[in-house]
Amino acid sequence: MDTNSTITGRTTTNSISSVRYMSVTAMLSAVAFALMFFEFSIPFLVPSFIQMDLSELPALIGAFSMGPVCGILICLIKNVLHLFITTTGGVGELSNFLLGVAFVLPAGLIYRHKKSRRSALIGSLLGAVIMGVFSVVSNYFLVYPVYYNFMPEEAVIGAYQVIVPSVKSILQCLVCFNMPFTIVKGLFSVVITFLVYKHISPILKGANR
C-alpha cells in the first residue's frame, strides 16, 4: 500500500470538503440575510411591529445538510451583516441569533444522531417549539426594554389590546401572541425545508445523485 498516496488522497478529500462547507455556509448565509428584508406583518393577529420572515429557513437547511454548527454559523453571519443597517443597536440581532440557534441546534443535533425523515421532522418541530418558548425570554429581557426607549410600555401593551383587550401585561402579551407567532414562523421554515430539501441536498453535499 502506498501510504503517501493514501494520505495525499485523504488530505485532498478533506480540503474539498472544507471548501464546500465554507461555500455552502457562505451561500446560505447570503440567502438568509436577503430573506431578512422580505418581512411582513400579519394584521389582526399580531401588532404591526411584529414581523414575519423566513430567514431561519437557510439555517435549517444548512443544519441538515452540513451539520448543526453550519446552521449556527448561518444565524451568526446573517445577523453580523445586519448590524451594518440595524436600528436596534444590535439587540434585535442578538435576539434573532439566539432564537435561530434555539431553532436549528435541536433540529441539527437530532438529525445528525439519526439521519431519517422522521428524526428531521421531530428535531425541527422541537426546535420550533423551543424557539417559541425562548422568544418570551428574549423579548422580555432583551428586545422590549429597548422598545421602551421609543415606545412606553403602556403603549406597547395597548398595541396588543387593540387585538385582544383582555391582555394586561407584557409577559401575558408575549405568551399569548409572540410565542405562538414564533412557533408558526418556525413551522413555515420546516414545511418549506421538507418540500425542497430532497431536491437541493445533492447539490449542497456535492453528490452525483
Side-chain angles (χ1 to χ4, degrees), residues 93-108:
E93 285 70 28
L94 175 60
S95 176
N96 187 280
F97 168 69
L98 294 175
L99 291 177
V101 172
F103 180 37
V104 303
L105 183 58

Side-chain angles (χ1 to χ4, degrees), residues 170-191:
I170 286 296
L171 185 59
Q172 186 180 9
C173 294
L174 293 175
V175 172
C176 294
F177 289 90
N178 294 59
M179 184 168 69
F181 175 86
T182 305
I183 292 174
V184 170
K185 176 182 173 181
L187 293 179
F188 274 119
S189 292
V190 173
V191 170

Side-chain angles (χ1 to χ4, degrees), residues 153-164:
E153 182 175 349
E154 295 75 16
V156 175
I157 296 175
Y160 287 100
Q161 289 176 332
V162 170
I163 303 171
V164 178

Side-chain angles (χ1 to χ4, degrees), residues 48-108:
S48 60
F49 54 78
I50 301 176
Q51 299 287 307
M52 170 74 75
D53 71 70
L54 296 176
S55 62
E56 279 80 31
L57 170 61
L60 183 60
I61 292 174
F64 284 153
S65 61
M66 295 292 169
V69 174
C70 177
I72 293 172
L73 286 173
I74 293 169
C75 292
L76 176 63
I77 293 170
K78 70 165 184 173
N79 280 292
V80 169
L81 292 174
H82 202 263
L83 282 173
F84 292 99
I85 57 172
T86 186
T87 58
T88 66
V91 175
E93 285 70 28
L94 175 60
S95 176
N96 187 280
F97 168 69
L98 294 175
L99 291 177
V101 172
F103 180 37
V104 303
L105 183 58

Side-chain angles (χ1 to χ4, degrees), residues 17 31 58 67 77 91 146 149 152 161 181 199 207:
S17 298
V31 174
I77 293 170
V91 175
V146 175
N149 293 320
Q161 289 176 332
F181 175 86
H199 304 288

